[in-house]
Amino acid sequence: KAYPECIYIVEQDGIIKVLDENNNVSTFIDLKDKVHDILFPADEMGLLGLAFDPNFANNGLFYINYNDNNDNTIISRFSSKENIGELESEKILLTIEQPYSNHNGGSIEFGPDNYLYISVGDGGSAGDPQNRAQDLTNYFGSILRIEIPENADYYLIPKDNPFYGIDEYRQEIWSYGLRNAWKFTFDRFTGDIYIGDVGQNSWEEINFIKSGSNGGLNFGWNIMEASSCYNPDFGCDNFKSQLPIFEYPNDAKYIRTILGLKHKNVHGCSVTGGYVYRGENIKELYGKYIFGDYCTGKIWSFKYDNGELLNFEDHTNELLQSINKKKFYLSSFGETSAGELLLIDYSGSLYKLVNK
């Protein structure tokens, strides 16, 4: 059975809730005993991602990305019946030991090819001190791509993965050189991938993988930060990486956000990746990528067409007025089955974009 009108809400502390078409809220699954306890407001660990099997309507399978009680990244499969997840059904597919508590990535999405894509942060600390994001012998700083056979308790590495057959590399890697891509999404119409990658000191960036890519793209971190040199000791001038399609200054103060203080005349300090809008209710946004920044609550859009960025817009003031708020902590975006967009406030509110 399919549940097309339900919205599934992933809470960092380990609960997934269901909001049905009548605005009734119920618990889909409670994973709090398995998931890392949230210790403070800026804690980056916990339950971070949810993806439904492409055949979920028939098999009830879903996949999650979370940090366990030992702070490892876990990729697991669960089953469900009658729209309730079965806690005892967990099958762990992948475990990654995290060296630090931050930069866990966490996004998990099935692509048009029915392979599962997983974002993994650079391992944490600051500046990627062990240069993990440029090291293909570990999972860090990458997006992984794996195949999960029907009803299997294991995964396979697709033979067209860019590093397939190279024994010394992690062959699951699809792209690398990322710092903390905790939100990437597929354009449901084209299959293109948009990646929001959080910057270090100076720049926030949106990266792009065109549908049909052979993979293997290196987005530059920690040699580059966006299109600027971060680590000159590695010879930035001769280093070839995939440049972002959009970047903006990291000019806000993260500590002000944690303390609940408003920023003035700044862009942000932690990009929140979003979606290409493919809904029917807001014609002027169709085909535009909607994204924002957690630190400032700013929300922007642009259209990316044949390598050209078009029609950039700032929607911040309009949205703040519509929800009657002066500040907004943009934790994430969501998407309905019909392609309409949801905005998630870290303070606990969920909003749906509608036409004026």
Side-chain angles (χ1 to χ4, degrees):
K1 181 180 178 181
Y3 304 90
E5 301 305 321
C6 290
I7 294 171
Y8 295 81
I9 303 167
V10 177
E11 297 189 341
Q12 191 181 0
D13 64 357
I15 296 178
I16 302 175
K17 295 179 178 178
V18 183
L19 177 67
D20 68 19
E21 63 271 23
N22 297 315
N23 291 326
N24 298 313
V25 178
S26 60
T27 297
F28 178 64
I29 193 168
D30 185 340
L31 301 159
K32 292 185 73 170
D33 288 343
K34 294 177 177 289
V35 173
H36 162 92
D37 288 330
I38 306 303
L39 303 176
F40 50 93
D43 196 332
E44 296 182 28
M45 291 190 163
L47 178 55
L48 303 178
L50 165 68
F52 293 102
D53 191 278
N55 196 29
F56 174 77
N58 296 312
N59 62 25
L61 299 178
F62 63 98
Y63 300 80
I64 63 169
N65 185 334
Y66 70 97
N67 298 108
D68 67 11
N69 291 314
N70 295 315
D71 297 344
N72 301 304
T73 285
I74 305 292
I75 308 300
S76 283
R77 189 203 74 192
F78 289 81
S79 60
S80 64
K81 290 182 181 178
E82 297 300 321
N83 214 23
I84 298 176
E86 299 177 314
L87 189 62
E88 70 282 0
S89 69
E90 181 177 23
K91 302 294 183 182
I92 295 177
L93 301 175
L94 181 63
T95 301
I96 303 173
E97 184 178 352
Q98 289 286 351
Y100 299 99
S101 63
N102 59 338
H103 300 182
N104 296 276
S107 202
I108 181 171
E109 299 274 347
F110 277 96
D113 51 14
N114 288 340
Y115 293 147
L116 186 63
Y117 292 71
I118 304 158
S119 68
V120 184
D122 67 3
S125 188
D128 191 9
Q130 282 78 44
N131 303 314
R132 291 183 171 92
Q134 290 295 317
D135 182 359
L136 293 168
T137 67
N138 67 66
Y139 293 115
F140 297 108
S142 69
I143 291 178
L144 312 180
R145 178 181 185 248
I146 61 176
E147 176 185 1
I148 305 173
E150 183 73 22
N151 296 319
D153 297 341
Y154 58 89
Y155 69 85
L156 303 174
I157 298 172
K159 293 182 178 179
D160 59 348
N161 268 16
F163 307 111
Y164 181 83
I166 304 178
D167 292 339
E168 61 267 33
Y169 290 169
R170 294 292 188 178
Q171 298 171 47
E172 296 93 337
I173 293 174
W174 176 248
S175 60
Y176 65 109
L178 296 162
R179 183 175 176 271
N180 189 25
W182 58 269
K183 184 67 172 177
F184 73 90
T185 55
F186 288 87
D187 180 339
R188 61 164 60 191
F189 181 71
T190 66
D192 299 331
I193 304 175
Y194 289 77
I195 307 165
D197 194 17
V198 179
Q200 177 67 51
N201 296 328
S202 302
W203 298 100
E204 303 295 309
E205 62 187 278
I206 302 295
N207 291 301
F208 178 82
I209 303 176
K210 188 170 182 57
S211 178
S213 166
N214 293 323
L217 296 179
N218 181 359
F219 292 104
W221 176 252
N222 69 345
I223 299 171
M224 307 291 290
E225 184 182 10
S227 61
S228 299
C229 183
Y230 177 78
N231 198 337
D233 292 341
F234 282 84
C236 298
D237 292 342
N238 299 317
F239 182 72
K240 303 297 182 185
S241 63
Q242 187 75 17
L243 296 178
I245 60 171
F246 183 76
E247 58 189 67
Y248 65 90
N250 180 322
D251 54 7
K253 301 296 183 183
Y254 187 59
I255 188 63
R256 289 186 66 87
T257 301
I258 301 305
L259 295 174
L261 302 175
K262 189 174 174 61
H263 300 78
K264 293 183 179 180
N265 302 319
V266 291
H267 297 81
C269 68
S270 180
V271 64
T272 301
Y275 290 86
V276 175
Y277 179 74
R278 295 296 180 185
E280 297 182 353
N281 293 335
I282 313 175
K283 303 297 184 184
E284 61 269 27
L285 288 183
Y286 187 84
K288 297 190 73 175
Y289 179 65
I290 319 294
F291 69 106
D293 189 275
Y294 166 70
C295 293
T296 59
K298 289 184 179 293
I299 298 173
W300 304 286
S301 70
F302 62 74
K303 189 169 186 177
Y304 190 65
D305 189 23
N306 292 321
E308 188 176 1
L309 194 144
L310 306 169
N311 301 329
F312 179 86
E313 290 185 89
D314 186 339
H315 304 278
T316 310
N317 290 335
E318 178 185 3
L319 285 165
L320 285 174
Q321 290 173 9
S322 71
I323 62 176
N324 196 28
K325 283 190 173 183
K326 293 183 178 181
K327 56 186 177 182
F328 181 74
Y329 299 109
L330 182 63
S331 175
S332 191
F333 288 87
E335 189 180 35
T336 71
S337 59
E340 303 302 332
L341 290 191
L342 307 167
L343 281 65
I344 297 95
D345 187 336
Y346 190 77
S347 300
S349 300
L350 179 69
Y351 300 92
K352 182 179 179 181
L353 289 184
V354 297
N355 214 344
K356 297 177 183 179

